[in-house]
Amino acid sequence: MCGIISVVDRSRSGMDGSSIKNALSLMDERGSGEGAGYAAYGVYPDFADYYAIHLFFNNLVEPKGAVDEILRAWGKIEHEEEIPTVEQPDLRRTRIPWRYFFKPDPTLMPGSDTPEEDIIMMLVMKINTSIQGALVFSSGKNIGVFKASGWPEAVADFYQIDQYEGYIWLAHNRYPTNTPGWWGGAHPFNLLDWSVIHNGEITSYGTNRRYIESFGYRCTMFTDTEVVAYLCDLLSRRHGLPRELMVRAFAPPFWDEIDRMKKPEMELNHAIRQTYGSALMNGPFAIVVATADGIVGFTDRIKLRPLIAAEAGDRLYIASEEAAIRRMESSLDHVWMPQAGEPVIGRVQS
Amino acid sequence: MNPGSVPAKFKVRIDADQCMLCERCVENCPYGTYRREGEHISVDSRRCVACHRCVAMCPRDSITIEEKPVDYRSHPLWTRESREAIYNQARTGRIVLAGMGNASDLPIIFDRLLLDACQVTNPSIDPLREPMELRTYIGKKPRKLDLRKKRNGDIELKTRLHPNLRLNTPIMIGHMSYGAISLNAQLSMARAVASEGTFMGTGEGGLHPALREFQDNMIVQVASGRFGVDIDYLERGAAIEIKIGQGAKPGIGGHLPGEKIDPDISQTRMIPERSDAISPAPHHDIYSIEDLKQLVHSLKEATEWKKPVFVKIAAVHNVAAIASGIARSSADAVVIDGFRGGTGAAPRVFRDHVGIPIEAAIAAVDQKLRSQGIRNEVSIIASGGIRDAAEVTKAIALGADAIYIGTAALIAMGCRVCGTCYRGLCPWGIATQNSSLTRRLNPDVEWQHVANLIRGWTLEISELMGAAGINSIESLRGNRDRLRGYLLDEAMMNILDVQPVGA
Amino acid sequence: MENELVINAEGMHYTPLNKAIRSAVAKGTEKIRIEHVLGQRFIADGLKGRVKITVHGTPGGDLGMFMSGPSIEVFGNCDHAPGNTMDGGEIIIHGSAGDATAHSMRGGLVMVRDDIGYRGGIHMKEYGDHRPVLIIGGNACAFLGEYMAGGLVLVLGSGEKRVLPNRGIGSGIHGGLIIIRGDVPDQTLGVGAKKSRATEEEKRLIDPYIRRYAAVYGRDPKPLLDDEYTIITPSSGRPFANKYTWE
């Protein structure tokens, strides 16, 4: 179990983190106090052109030295600081959250169509697999992930998320199952522009992990959700699938449904399943992924986890429970339950 | 030293109180074990191969067959088999041939891999009632899709899919040629795979006209002897398989003795009657990996790129690198045959000492192809001693797309694994061309048994997948997280990339 | 109103809320009005008696679970599994309900004005005069009446757009009835389910439920009464008997 909630304001109006904190706490029954987190888009307007790299350091000696060195080798650190936090009585500080605003040097990755992103991805994988005591948990532009082991209220107050204004928020209340509740294992998971919150368990994780690792990604967080962020990055950024088809690959129609489709649609769905069979996610899940231009929510093919969507004006909400959405916005224009595998997409106006 | 100087392998007894002298044992034993003598059946135990035909036919359960009634003085090193091979070779100065798969007492890795099931954190899926997808496509898949957005907003698919075989179950039947086995055996299996929506191999023996009605479910084989291969044969198959080697005898060819080449087989294989059909060890047009590519391309060109082409190799030490070379040859599937693969006859030294277990081979090949980013370029078909649905499931979790069964399909038709196929007197009508024996195998009955076996295993795979919370077989493939090693050493677990039980 | 308790549930945890309900019922309160409900689970969980409760807001999951006797009327949408393993009484929902509505329900009535989620009526069962009824005014999703062993599921499909469950209707059904307004395509039936057009006699069976639905939600019963219905029943009491063999 876990509780998820997310909101996008399609007109890019900023929202501070206080109301999503309240909404997330309403679902405390879904968590265990071992992990909570928030992701917000648009929180670093002063550094909007820099990659905001959030890390947990075990200490500021060896791991930080090694991270400084590798970042300097690959680009320029514009600014860095400890992420401001306020001690909470029921949250044990076991890591030091730190952030860098970093610009990679694209000339160092010749032959790539997206050299900056590829450098950042390479750095994230490298730091997380080879620098003991350092863990990158957020690496996008103008995006911040704030997470820790603790209840949603405590984590929100620890990071003072009411001080941040974002036009997209994702929030997650964790009940860890297969892996320990640790700071790195809390959601959201992020890579570059992608952030993911997830309720459920991906029974195809081993297949998905082996698939994604053959494209250079490395799973380091001991949890199934991480793989979703990497799959999104691969299918969408690197392979150019539109959002709808990316979700189709993750939660495709059944073969009998594909067999009944008319020709061009049938061929397209056939091609997706044959090509991306290893990206198909099995088991119970409700997932919301965000990028700078919007959010997408979807469930597994047989709808083993809850997901509710609602609209109020420019805002689209996706959550585990309607009550959580109503905690943020009591008067909703429209509330609905998406069909299994059917994406709910909220795009910001360009 | 005379042949009688080694102890008989089996002791056959007839319970005279039970026996009603119906003589069915006499009629059924092609090896001449039984003779009617007055008011009793006399038995020559030395002729018995323990094929159990008599046991199955005896209406009174009067027959008892005991193995090794007089064994040698025990010795852990000098086993019965080692001593008897020496007696045999001292007498003949020849290579010892043996039937069926590897008979060495080596651990079976499948037995030491355990499958996972859901409890609490995710629901198991009930395959009785919820959708469960075992449909499998064998062949090359695109690495990525090329899509164009049309002006009206529709998405247009630019990628052309490669030809694939569509299987309703990941279980196929491997290549056993007409010649090695009877036409009735092939007919039974062909009808079974057609009914279950899967495929079987023709083996290197051509395609008998009687099998043509099932040709859409048959994979034709091109082996080093090129027996029965012509353009008509290639066009009839649903797919084409190049056989480089087989698990029971890696590195060597095959040999169908002239006495089995009757007019029908002579016609199917396109060779003279009664002359030996010798498959060379290598293909003499493939002396290197680039030559393999030539043959793959030539077969595709001949069949207008409409059919998937598979390449079958024995699982040998360097199987991963070899498979990766095959993947780059534009082959659509690589078939890996493990060292427990069966055969009618193989030199004992090969059968028991050459090759590696299929479990390790699947893991190594899957890993190598992934590390090179070309796993989607090629399907993996695994074979070699797969005995039940659990082993199919484990093979897929290790990374196979589908499996071939061989011996299991023969057992479904009556085979008792007596390992005497090379005598050509198979009492079950399977590994024989003797019409009085092949008549015993009725395709109208036996196809159903083979189909039942495939269906039963398929149901069991669905149950295992459902228990693991997986409703589509692509989510089982390569999902080694759902396996645990029990009493496997650390090095083996590293190769298999599985955790130990409890982890 | 006499003998009515009003509870303001704003910010209240479900345990004190249920405690307040129970103690009121113990004191003989006949009506309870709960206001500002937002996400509280287990409302009236295991509650016995004849009390009438109105819930205003958006309750959490498992509303009326194990409940035996009371009537609940909800003005808002319900979350996961209202009427879960319910024994008796009524839950009337003025809105929609989530997945697994009426899961394993054993008796009483759950009536939903609008839609329900996946696996509605899953494993409903009947025994003796315990015969559960689930009425859905709008649409239901896949796996409706899965594993069903008794009782009645009625889908009126009277929303703006009629959307049928797209697969697995009555999958594994081995008792009870699913009745759906209009035709039901064969491919949406689950394993072990068979369909037929409801006869006049069978339609008479659902007549009182349609009238009750129309009365409660202020709808015209006539078009619903006049329409055709499909009835889905088990093809056999043991649909999977042929799957197994003894060792």
Side-chain angles (χ1 to χ4, degrees), chain B residues 10-303:
Chain B
F10 305 99
K11 175 71 186 167
V12 183
R13 286 195 184 85
I14 293 182
D15 182 337
D17 294 340
Q18 289 286 326
C19 178
M20 62 183 211
L21 294 171
C22 69
E23 296 187 29
R24 281 186 207 164
C25 51
V26 179
E27 291 155 19
N28 271 283
C29 181
Y31 300 105
T33 307
Y34 303 99
R35 212 156 20 97
R36 170 78 181 251
E37 277 184 0
E39 287 309 294
H40 76 284
I41 305 285
S42 92
V43 176
D44 180 356
S45 286
R46 203 167 276 279
R47 290 172 179 264
C48 176
V49 300
C51 73
H52 279 195
R53 180 78 188 179
C54 56
V55 173
M57 293 297 146
C58 176
R60 289 282 183 90
D61 274 341
S62 322
I63 301 169
T64 309
I65 300 174
E66 189 188 344
E67 195 167 3
K68 296 175 190 166
V70 184
D71 211 345
Y72 297 78
R73 176 187 183 277
S74 65
H75 190 283
L77 181 66
W78 295 102
T79 60
R80 178 184 183 114
E81 290 73 23
S82 62
R83 275 177 267 199
E84 289 190 351
I86 291 172
Y87 296 139
N88 184 344
Q89 291 184 299
R91 193 173 72 244
T92 62
R94 294 180 183 178
I95 293 170
V96 181
L97 290 179
M100 303 317 292
N102 193 309
S104 302
D105 183 23
L106 293 167
I108 298 168
I109 298 171
F110 278 136
D111 290 346
R112 298 178 182 208
L113 285 171
L114 300 173
L115 288 159
D116 193 17
C118 295
Q119 300 288 304
V120 181
T121 61
N122 52 33
S124 34
I125 300 167
D126 186 343
L128 289 178
R129 301 162 179 102
E130 307 218 31
M132 190 58 65
E133 298 188 310
L134 271 74
R135 188 191 290 189
T136 299
Y137 284 89
I138 296 293
K140 203 186 279 296
K141 317 285 189 299
R143 180 178 167 82
K144 62 188 279 279
L145 288 185
D146 186 11
L147 303 166
R148 298 281 152 79
K149 204 162 194 168
K150 291 201 284 200
R151 245 180 248 136
N152 65 4
D154 284 0
I155 301 281
E156 189 192 356
L157 177 69
K158 300 295 261 184
T159 307
R160 296 257 322 269
L161 291 180
H162 302 274
N164 269 243
L165 295 189
R166 178 187 143 178
L167 284 56
N168 287 344
T169 171
I171 304 161
M172 297 188 282
I173 301 179
H175 291 256
M176 292 173 283
S177 70
Y178 176 42
I181 60 172
S182 64
L183 184 60
N184 279 349
Q186 277 203 336
L187 277 169
S188 307
M189 295 190 293
R191 195 164 158 192
V193 292
S195 105
E196 297 308 305
T198 182
F199 294 81
M200 72 172 277
T202 56
E204 189 193 20
L207 184 73
H208 191 278
L211 287 160
R212 285 179 188 163
E213 65 171 294
F214 305 111
Q215 65 189 23
D216 292 345
N217 295 85
M218 301 201 72
I219 302 159
V220 296
Q221 195 178 57
V222 174
S224 60
R226 305 284 154 90
F227 296 118
V229 178
D230 61 11
I231 184 63
D232 177 65
Y233 170 73
L234 298 176
E235 280 172 350
R236 285 181 188 281
I240 301 168
E241 180 167 313
I242 299 169
K243 178 197 169 182
I244 301 294
Q246 75 182 93
K249 41 184 170 180
I252 61 172
H255 182 175
L256 189 68
E259 61 261 31
K260 283 194 177 174
I261 315 289
D262 65 16
D264 227 18
I265 291 177
S266 138
Q267 184 205 356
T268 307
R269 293 206 170 203
M270 305 174 197
I271 50 167
E273 281 179 45
R274 304 298 159 201
S275 74
D276 286 359
I278 297 170
S279 298
H283 288 245
H284 289 292
D285 50 5
I286 305 176
Y287 287 169
S288 175
I289 190 78
E290 67 267 23
D291 294 347
L292 173 72
K293 184 174 167 186
Q294 295 290 310
L295 182 57
V296 172
H297 280 202
S298 157
L299 288 167
K300 290 197 171 203
E301 197 64 30
T303 52

Side-chain angles (χ1 to χ4, degrees), chain C residues 6-7 9-10 25 32 38 41 51 53 62-63 78 82 89 92 102 126 142 149-150 160 178 182 192 229 232 240:
Chain C
V6 178
I7 301 173
E10 190 170 347
V25 171
I32 302 173
L38 190 62
R41 290 147 199 262
V51 63
I53 301 173
D62 292 328
L63 175 106
C78 278
I92 309 292
E126 63 184 75
E160 281 170 41
I178 301 169
Y229 285 81
I232 293 154
F240 308 111

Side-chain angles (χ1 to χ4, degrees), chain B residues 126 128-131 459 463, chain C residues 119 146-147 171 191 240 243:
Chain B
D126 186 343
L128 289 178
R129 301 162 179 102
E130 307 218 31
L459 287 171
E463 293 278 340
Chain C
R119 299 183 173 78
E146 196 178 34
Y147 307 76
S171 185
V191 191
F240 308 111
K243 201 179 157 187

